[in-house]
Amino acid sequence: MASEDINELTEALARTHVGDELSYKGQGLKLDNAESVAKIVRAIEEFQGLQALRLEGNTIGVEAAQAIAKALESKSELQKCNWSDMFTGRLRSEIPAALRSLGSALMTSGARLTELDLSDNAFGPDGVKGIETLLKSPACYTLRILKLNNCGMGIGGGKILADALIECHKKSSATGAPLSLKMFIAGRNRLENEGAKALAKAFQLMGSLEEVHMPQNGINHKGITALAEAMQQNPNIRVLNFNDNTFTKRGALSMAQALRNLRNVEIINFGDCLVRSEGAIAIGAALRDGLPIVKELNLSFGELSEAAALVVARCVKDKTHLEKLDLNGNCFGEEGCEAVKEAVESMNMADMLGSLSDDEGEPDEEDDDDDDDVDEEDEDEDEEEELGEQSGEEELEENGLYESSANGSPVKPDPVSPTCCPELQAFLSSPTAEKLLDLGAKRTLLIEQQVDYSDHSKTADAFLKICSVYKEEPEVKIAVLETTDALLKKALSGSCFQSYSFLSSLLVMLGLLKGEGRAQRVSVMPGHLLALSHSVEQEYFPLDHADVLQAFVSKSGKALTSCSSARETLQAVLDRRTAA
């Protein structure tokens, strides 16, 4: 074969021309100057109707980028720029200049992009500045897919990106066709809370997202909460991937709340997000309430207990589209893994459950519930809250709403409105059977009207205080059960999510579920369990909540050993109710 033919063949192989796309993907070309890209430039210039240009997997210098940019100035039909992993080995200072040249060419051409992929280019905040003008320009008014995975943007870059998207939306809206981004990918960018919150503002404004992928960004509950609120404004969201961030309970509750308001979610990836058992129960409640077409749920490596996993499984058992349930890497222990597998098999979901081979083992029951990891930001926030509380203590004491405990420290007000009747306040401050009886026939009305049902912890606390005075004496027993009936009817009458949150708080206080931070705990008394036994049999107590309670009571460990007889009574009632 003649050398000219070989050269032509080599050049043909050097590019892939398929339909409207010109591709140099993954060829490892080192393109330093105009001469090195001469053939690419000629191919671009000669390509009529070019709509997609793939340059990923090569390394392009500033001069080479400028030459390519010159060729792109006449390509008004260009829509897709797949330019990931395009600057390997380049100085970080070179990348913004190269990006500015390419962006300027796109703006000059009059192109209207639908996809821009700059992933795996470690350009940092300066790189974002390099595309800032492009993102604000008409060239991106039509953008549908933006991929910036593994770019090292950091907090600063995240803020610049968010501002650019907001500006783009503002300008495009003025033309009557607002920016409607569908897919956003920005994993491994160290965005942290501030970057996430900035982007959340842009997401909330657009309201058009269908996929969000932001794994491994060092985001904790504050940033997650902002993102969750933004997701509620994107009703067509299908994919939520926040893998390897740190939700903890607060972030998980916020995300669960968001899920309650979404109908089109198909894939939920909250793996390695430390959602913990309380968060998992809340997410499960959201799924039970809605999300009819969910296909995948990933709660792996989240410090879930066996009982919490069983609750989640029960919450998704009727999801006919479910294909995958990932609960690997949690804290079930060997026996717990078998129990989860058996439970899933009994629900005909065995094919959906992924491997449990990386289970972390059952947690030590002696662990203090208050030893959960708390980052410095959370500690600072807690200190500020405490200072705020302390500043008002003197005023509260003057109004008789604080008492001093035996050690002289103030006792906080009870879980009722500060304006509640003195008799109810006195009972909840120091519960006794006599004080409950003294409330007379009005006690159920007082409970219904004055307990703060918006705060699940306060509601659970009130329930436990009433139960603590339980006695088999007919008058006291009737008073306790009538009052707890009134309280639970109202607590469980809201949405599934709200009632699950109440139940979760109750489980934490009884020591059946590990809480976070300074979660309140009580010494379990027979009255607590006997009153629950009565409540579980009542019509107002949902069957799925009995399922949850049974899962935790049966795995209570040492929490209920002091009330073995009452526990057996409760267990028997739960068995009857759930078997019915």
Side-chain angles (χ1 to χ4, degrees), residues 511-522:
L512 303 179
L513 173 62
K514 186 173 182 179
E516 289 187 3
R518 299 169 182 149
Q520 184 178 353
R521 289 276 297 275
V522 301

Side-chain angles (χ1 to χ4, degrees), residues 15 22 24 38-47 75:
R15 66 177 185 268
L22 180 61
Y24 294 89
K39 292 180 180 179
I40 294 176
V41 168
R42 185 165 67 251
I44 293 173
E45 291 173 340
E46 294 174 355
F47 199 125
K75 300 301 171 181

Side-chain angles (χ1 to χ4, degrees), residues 263 283-297 312-324 349 352:
R263 299 287 295 173
I283 292 168
L287 266 71
R288 185 188 284 271
D289 255 355
L291 300 177
I293 59 174
V294 65
K295 294 180 179 178
E296 295 183 16
L297 174 61
V312 171
R314 288 167 180 165
C315 286
V316 300
K317 67 179 180 180
D318 295 324
K319 300 300 172 184
T320 56
H321 295 271
L322 192 68
E323 299 172 358
K324 181 179 179 181
M349 295 167 54
M352 304 173 195

Side-chain angles (χ1 to χ4, degrees), residues 83-86 117-121 147-151 185:
W83 297 346
S84 64
D85 190 19
M86 202 171 67
D117 183 359
L118 290 168
S119 299
D120 300 314
N121 291 310
K147 300 179 181 180
L148 294 168
N149 202 58
N150 191 31
C151 290
I185 300 178

Side-chain angles (χ1 to χ4, degrees), residues 554-570:
S554 63
K555 297 291 179 182
S556 62
K558 297 182 179 179
L560 305 181
T561 52
S562 61
C563 308
S564 56
S565 178
R567 176 192 174 184
E568 289 174 4
T569 300
L570 176 57

Side-chain angles (χ1 to χ4, degrees), residues 56-73:
E56 63 262 54
N58 300 291
T59 175
I60 300 176
V62 176
E63 188 179 335
Q66 290 170 342
I68 293 172
K70 187 67 176 176
L72 290 175
E73 289 181 354

